[in-house]
Amino acid sequence: MFEGILSSTFLASPHTTHADARLQTPRLSSYMFRRARLAPAALRPPQQGPWLRDPHLRRSAPTVAWQVQRRTQYTGPPSPDPNPNVGPGGGDEGGGSEPKKEKFHWGPTLFRMFESAATTFASITILGLVGYSYTRYYKHLVLQKINNAFEPGDPILDLAGSDKGPAQAPHWIHREEQDVIDAIVDGSMKGHYFLIFGEKGTGKSSMLIEAMQRVNGAGISIFDAHSDIEIFRIRLGRALDFEYHEDNIGSLFSIRGPRDASALLDIERAFNKFEKVALTRRNKGGKPLVLIINSMHLLRDDDDGRDLLELVQQRAEQWCASRLCTVVFNSDDYWVYERLKQHATRMEVLPVFDLTKDKALAILRRWRRNYTGEEPPSEMLEKVYDQLGGRLAFLARAAKSEDMMATSDDICEKEKTWFLNQCWILGEEMDDDVMDQQKYASAAMVLAKALVDREKELEKTYDSERGYILPEIPLHEARQVMTRADFIQSYDQINVFTISSKAMVRADSVPMQRAFREICGQDGFDEHLQATLDRISAIESLGRTRELTIKDLWDKGRYRAKLKGPRGQESEVVFEVAEKEEEKGGDS
């Protein structure tokens, strides 16, 4: 097809001379007719006369060649020419000269390079913009979630299950400490952080929940501490609605896990985010936020627990000084106060004690009326108070039971059994393998006896208005009585003895003091306790005793030992062999 078009063009060219036509026409014409004969019959051109050989008819040759080309174009594409550079004369183009090498152009290559670079730059730019936008959005979302955690309503109020006001709640009673806690929780008291401190069951957590219900939990978050720092981290994150970046999809493109840090570092990060939210709220003119950490005594008194307590206290000092947040610690044990006291400058301690007699009788009567619908006599209420004192936890159990007196006796018996199971002494017959445990138990018994003896020295132990007056011993004297300084903290943790914020040691409750009185008043208790102490001393003395065996003393041989006292005094001891009885009889 290409050759047919080439021949048509050549023959139809106006610049073609007659000589060229004579040279080229026969060859091209024979070529075209040879192609035409190979075509199918339907496409084969009709036979023509000798007009191609007639010089006068050569002008019509282009038309014939074009007709042949049109008729042969349906035969399919022609096979490529093996040597396209060969000219009509059989030689190469240009009269047999070698073909010229084409010049290399950098334009297309540079364009492709620029196109690839632009595509790569655009991809990286889009990816960077998407990553930056997501990071900004995620940071904003984190702060927004923390801010929402301090909106009105709190999960702890839902768990409490009371949507009534404090005055209508059946378990509510107005206490002196309640007014202070209300002022702390609603943000009125600023510039300090607080430690609410008291025995287990005195109503510390209940008063906090009552104060939160007054303001519907607005600006307040509360959670319980735990001995495991990892669990403490999770509970803090749930209270602040902070996921510690574990929900960040950016971690999908990182080799490291979602959290490559310790629990203490995560808590520090959570506090950093919380501080930003508190700053924003303060700039808008809001009250300081309130963060309540309940059950601080559950932290372990080890390196991890002390580090965590130090971290939280540092933040509490900073936040209360800048009016950002008021941190409230709630603890049952003295060691938390002792630890916080070392670095405290703005800490306020709020002690919570048992109810006085009049308030205890009032709440006991009210609970009994609400739970059972009966009106108990005053004599029965006083008997219950004489056994249980003003401890709210004990009074609630007695008020809900069918027989209050039986329940009161059961509570006292359980307290006594608990103390005996933890601290009973074994006497003179004890084995030396239990000496360490018996040191712990005998020290508790000695302290209990000291409290009973101190009670006998008091002018009065019961007041008609205040109720019971439990005997107390200063902490340093208690350690002197026990001859040990490390056991008293453990006694406080197992709720046998308690240490007040003024470092006074007393029985943990009225039932526990009754147990001390009953145990120490048993016949032969003093002798049993003294026998146990003597046995412990004997075992310790035996452990400090060393035996010296002297051998090879022949023929009245002797050893001379020089002893030197602690103050430099010297003395000599001579060991020599005594004569045998047989030798003495033979000489006589």
Side-chain angles (χ1 to χ4, degrees):
M1 183 183 299
F2 175 76
E3 292 177 355
I5 296 173
L6 180 64
S7 61
S8 301
T9 305
F10 180 79
L11 293 176
S13 175
H15 301 288
T16 305
T17 61
H18 290 284
D20 295 332
R22 288 193 300 267
L23 294 175
Q24 302 296 335
T25 300
R27 181 177 179 179
L28 294 175
S29 301
S30 62
Y31 173 76
M32 287 186 288
F33 279 108
R34 187 166 56 251
R35 292 291 301 273
R37 285 195 301 271
L38 296 177
L43 301 177
R44 188 176 302 170
Q47 297 292 331
Q48 302 293 337
W51 54 271
L52 290 174
R53 293 190 298 272
D54 191 351
H56 299 284
L57 300 177
R58 288 177 180 173
R59 295 184 180 273
S60 61
T63 304
V64 176
W66 175 248
Q67 294 178 354
V68 174
Q69 188 268 340
R70 289 186 61 189
R71 290 176 178 272
T72 59
Q73 67 182 351
Y74 301 99
T75 60
S79 59
D81 192 353
N83 191 7
N85 296 326
V86 178
D92 298 336
E93 294 180 355
S97 62
E98 295 182 357
K100 296 181 180 180
K101 296 183 179 179
E102 296 183 0
K103 185 178 180 181
F104 181 77
H105 298 284
W106 287 94
T109 302
L110 293 176
F111 176 76
R112 293 188 182 93
M113 293 173 61
F114 175 77
E115 184 180 12
S116 301
T119 304
T120 304
F121 177 76
S123 302
I124 295 175
T125 303
I126 294 174
L127 183 61
L129 289 176
V130 171
Y132 176 76
S133 302
Y134 174 76
T135 302
R136 293 293 301 271
Y137 162 75
Y138 181 78
K139 290 183 177 180
H140 173 74
L141 179 63
V142 168
L143 298 180
Q144 185 64 34
K145 289 170 64 177
I146 296 177
N147 183 70
N148 293 337
F150 291 89
E151 294 298 324
D154 194 274
I156 196 66
L157 299 180
D158 299 334
L159 294 176
S162 176
D163 55 354
K164 303 178 182 179
Q168 289 76 29
H171 60 276
W172 182 84
I173 183 174
H174 184 76
R175 305 177 61 174
E176 297 177 358
E177 300 89 350
Q178 187 69 57
D179 296 334
V180 180
I181 293 179
D182 290 343
I184 295 173
V185 171
D186 63 15
S188 301
M189 297 186 66
K190 306 175 184 179
H192 298 278
Y193 64 100
F194 299 88
L195 172 63
I196 302 177
F197 178 63
E199 295 86 354
K200 181 183 69 174
T202 54
K204 302 183 297 299
S205 300
S206 299
M207 287 191 292
L208 288 171
I209 294 176
E210 294 294 342
M212 292 177 62
Q213 288 179 348
R214 292 178 182 272
V215 295
N216 195 21
I220 307 167
S221 184
I222 182 174
F223 69 98
D224 291 331
H226 195 270
S227 59
D228 191 348
I229 301 183
E230 288 288 346
I231 300 179
F232 185 95
R233 178 188 75 91
I234 294 175
R235 291 181 178 179
L236 174 63
R238 184 181 63 180
L240 300 179
D241 199 8
F242 180 62
E243 300 292 339
Y244 300 100
H245 303 291
E246 294 177 355
D247 57 344
N248 191 345
I249 64 174
S251 61
L252 298 176
F253 305 96
S254 177
I255 299 177
R256 295 184 295 182
R259 185 181 66 85
D260 187 15
S262 62
L264 206 62
L265 185 58
D266 277 347
I267 295 172
E268 177 70 15
R269 291 173 176 171
F271 285 157
N272 290 336
K273 296 295 183 180
F274 169 72
E275 189 174 291
K276 293 181 179 179
V277 174
L279 281 170
T280 304
R281 281 178 169 254
R282 189 193 65 177
N283 295 335
K284 293 180 180 179
K287 293 183 178 181
L289 300 177
V290 179
L291 181 63
I292 303 173
I293 307 178
N294 200 19
S295 303
M296 286 294 293
H297 57 275
L298 295 180
L299 296 178
R300 294 193 182 99
D301 190 13
D302 55 4
D303 292 338
D304 293 336
R306 288 188 289 268
D307 291 343
L308 176 60
L309 193 60
E310 181 181 355
L311 170 64
V312 178
Q313 185 183 14
Q314 287 178 348
R315 290 290 185 164
E317 292 276 351
Q318 297 173 3
W319 292 340
C320 71
S322 56
R323 305 296 196 274
L324 292 179
C325 175
T326 301
V327 181
V328 180
F329 301 110
N330 186 10
S331 176
D332 296 348
D333 296 342
Y334 177 78
W335 79 268
V336 177
Y337 166 75
E338 198 173 37
R339 186 68 184 177
L340 293 175
K341 183 65 176 177
Q342 299 179 12
H343 308 288
T345 57
R346 296 178 176 89
M347 184 179 69
E348 295 289 337
V349 180
L350 178 62
V352 179
F353 305 104
D354 290 339
L355 294 176
T356 58
K357 182 179 178 179
D358 54 346
K359 293 183 178 180
L361 295 179
I363 192 61
L364 187 59
R365 185 186 302 276
R366 184 173 183 176
W367 281 346
R368 191 65 177 174
R369 185 188 307 117
N370 291 326
Y371 291 140
T372 62
E374 66 179 15
E375 187 70 26
S378 300
E379 294 78 7
M380 181 181 293
L381 296 180
E382 290 187 0
K383 290 181 180 180
V384 173
Y385 176 79
D386 291 342
Q387 288 186 327
L388 302 180
R391 187 65 51 90
L392 281 177
F394 297 155
L395 295 177
R397 289 171 56 185
K400 295 178 182 179
S401 63
E402 297 180 358
D403 189 352
M404 290 195 298
M405 295 304 301
T407 303
S408 301
D409 295 336
D410 183 66
I411 292 174
C412 293
E413 187 64 28
K414 286 183 178 179
E415 291 295 304
K416 179 180 177 181
T417 303
W418 171 255
F419 176 63
L420 292 177
N421 291 339
Q422 297 294 321
C423 304
W424 183 240
I425 50 180
L426 302 180
E428 188 178 1
E429 294 79 12
M430 71 174 182
D431 192 79
D432 55 353
D433 294 335
V434 297
M435 186 185 67
D436 293 337
Q437 191 275 336
Q438 284 298 293
K439 285 182 179 180
Y440 178 83
S442 61
M445 286 297 175
V446 169
L447 183 57
K449 188 176 181 301
L451 288 175
V452 173
D453 295 338
R454 183 63 61 91
E455 186 179 23
K456 297 177 182 179
E457 298 174 0
L458 295 177
E459 296 181 0
K460 62 177 183 178
T461 60
Y462 189 86
D463 186 78
S464 59
E465 296 181 358
R466 294 176 52 193
Y468 273 104
I469 302 175
L470 295 178
E472 297 177 337
I473 298 177
L475 180 58
H476 66 280
E477 292 184 10
R479 288 171 173 169
Q480 181 179 356
V481 169
M482 295 187 300
T483 66
R484 295 293 296 260
D486 53 342
F487 286 160
I488 188 63
Q489 178 176 326
S490 178
Y491 299 150
D492 190 14
Q493 293 175 354
I494 64 175
N495 301 317
V496 173
F497 301 96
T498 187
I499 309 173
S500 67
S501 58
K502 297 181 180 179
M504 300 297 291
V505 180
R506 63 174 181 268
D508 185 74
S509 61
V510 172
M512 188 60 69
Q513 181 64 29
R514 291 173 62 92
F516 294 166
R517 195 182 304 119
E518 292 178 5
I519 294 173
C520 296
Q522 295 177 0
D523 295 337
F525 173 77
D526 295 339
E527 293 77 7
H528 185 68
L529 177 58
Q530 188 60 42
T532 303
L533 297 176
D534 293 340
R535 176 59 177 166
I536 293 174
S537 300
I539 294 174
E540 291 180 343
S541 177
L542 184 61
R544 293 191 296 264
T545 302
R546 297 293 182 266
E547 294 184 359
L548 181 62
T549 304
I550 300 175
K551 298 181 179 180
D552 300 335
L553 293 178
W554 302 97
D555 297 334
K556 298 182 180 181
R558 63 179 59 184
Y559 283 99
R560 176 175 296 176
K562 181 180 293 187
L563 304 179
K564 192 171 184 179
R567 296 184 179 181
Q569 64 274 21
E570 296 183 358
S571 60
E572 292 185 358
V573 179
V574 178
F575 301 93
E576 58 179 317
V577 179
E579 298 182 358
K580 296 181 180 180
E581 295 293 335
E582 298 179 356
E583 296 178 356
K584 292 181 179 180
D587 296 339
S588 60

